[in-house]
Amino acid sequence: VENYRPGVMDKLGLGYDELKKVNPRIIYAAVSGFGCYGPNSQRPGYDIIAQAVGGLMSISGHPGGQPTRVGSASGMATGRKESIVTLEVGVLLRDLLLAEGATVVMTRDTQKTFVGMLERADIPNNAGADFVLRLHCNSGIQVYCPSDSSYAREVADMDTYRTMGNTLLSAIKTATGQTRGDCTLNNSYVGNNWSKMPSFLVEMGYMTSQEEDYLLSTPVYQQWLAQGMVEGVVQLAQLRGLIDKQ
């Protein structure tokens, strides 16, 4: 298996025609970013190019800035992994919700646990959860909701989802003192699309911003984020008629 641009392996003397002389039964697989034929066949297939051409970078980046590469984020200033920060906030959120009398199911509770995209949806689905919050640090404070996946349509219409997303977003902004942030409906996130209950991807800040990176690792700010999400969940539960309004 090779993934060079078409013709590179031939120049190295390692193309199919040469290798089959050594072993006529060889199975030779060539994979490239834009295929072996066509006008773009000689273009390299780096990850960042695939993200740009596929449109993924169009939904990532700083407000008013250029699109940015999506990846496993780490702090520009702290060097801390996104997975560590989200787990720290997730544990705080769990403890605050438990104190409110809620039942909480975590998709992971250690840094060493890896959970795939579909499994992240299966865990709350199997638990019969009322809401799902998925925590990330790849952009400023944002709430993403599914728009029209088959599961999402069974949960709520788009207007209701937008109302729920804005409710959660407002609570987080109030708790943290942040003024910027939006609620967006799209079908870009598998975990949202496959959830059988209201599901929200919560972006808590840019780890590529030095100021926000420091904030995201500050215990007080993490507490504010968790408290904002708790308040948002309480309001969502009231909207859904799960608990009485106080």
Side-chain angles (χ1 to χ4, degrees):
V1 179
E2 58 92 355
N3 67 338
Y4 290 100
R5 285 178 291 110
V8 171
M9 293 296 279
D10 292 325
K11 292 179 181 179
L12 296 173
L14 296 172
Y16 174 71
D17 290 336
E18 290 298 318
L19 295 185
K20 74 176 182 180
K21 296 175 183 177
V22 179
N23 180 5
R25 300 180 62 190
I26 189 171
I27 298 174
Y28 190 104
V31 182
S32 61
F34 296 89
C36 295
Y37 309 101
N40 295 320
S41 61
Q42 293 301 308
R43 295 183 64 182
Y46 301 122
D47 174 58
I48 190 170
I49 294 175
Q51 291 190 25
V53 173
L56 183 59
M57 289 173 62
S58 69
I59 59 172
S60 180
H62 298 271
Q66 296 296 315
T68 59
R69 177 180 178 273
V70 177
S72 179
S74 59
M76 171 181 286
T78 65
R80 305 185 76 216
K81 291 183 178 180
E82 178 192 21
S83 58
I84 293 176
V85 175
T86 55
L87 182 58
E88 289 174 345
V89 178
V91 169
L92 290 172
L93 175 59
R94 176 199 64 191
D95 293 346
L96 289 173
L97 285 170
L98 289 172
E100 291 287 333
T103 300
V104 181
V105 177
M106 301 276 283
T107 56
R108 66 184 181 99
D109 54 15
T110 70
Q111 175 63 10
K112 296 181 179 179
T113 303
F114 173 79
V115 182
M117 290 293 186
L118 291 180
E119 189 179 359
R120 295 180 197 181
D122 286 340
I123 291 173
N125 286 344
N126 294 334
D130 294 310
F131 303 103
V132 176
L133 271 61
R134 304 171 58 227
L135 310 185
H136 288 261
C137 303
N138 291 319
S139 75
I141 289 181
Q142 305 277 341
V143 173
Y144 291 94
C145 312
S147 55
D148 60 356
S149 70
S150 58
Y151 284 154
R153 287 194 296 270
E154 293 181 8
V155 172
D157 58 39
M158 293 179 65
D159 288 339
T160 301
Y161 241 126
R162 186 173 286 105
T163 296
M164 290 191 293
N166 279 316
T167 296
L168 179 59
L169 175 68
S170 178
I172 297 171
K173 289 166 68 175
T174 298
T176 59
Q178 297 290 345
T179 57
R180 294 186 300 181
D182 297 297
C183 171
T184 302
L185 275 64
N186 62 32
N187 287 328
S188 300
Y189 303 108
V190 174
N192 275 0
N193 294 342
W194 285 72
S195 293
K196 298 179 180 180
M197 69 290 296
S199 178
F200 309 93
L201 189 152
V202 180
E203 290 282 7
M204 300 184 293
Y206 284 108
M207 296 193 79
T208 52
S209 160
Q210 180 172 311
E211 179 182 355
E212 293 188 26
D213 180 27
Y214 280 126
L215 274 178
L216 288 166
S217 287
T218 302
V220 171
Y221 191 74
Q222 290 184 347
Q223 188 75 20
W224 290 350
L225 284 166
Q227 289 173 340
M229 283 183 270
V230 169
E231 179 58 32
V233 168
V234 170
Q235 293 178 26
L236 290 175
Q238 293 171 344
L239 282 174
R240 303 287 286 180
L242 301 174
I243 59 176
D244 294 330
K245 294 184 178 181
Q246 298 179 349

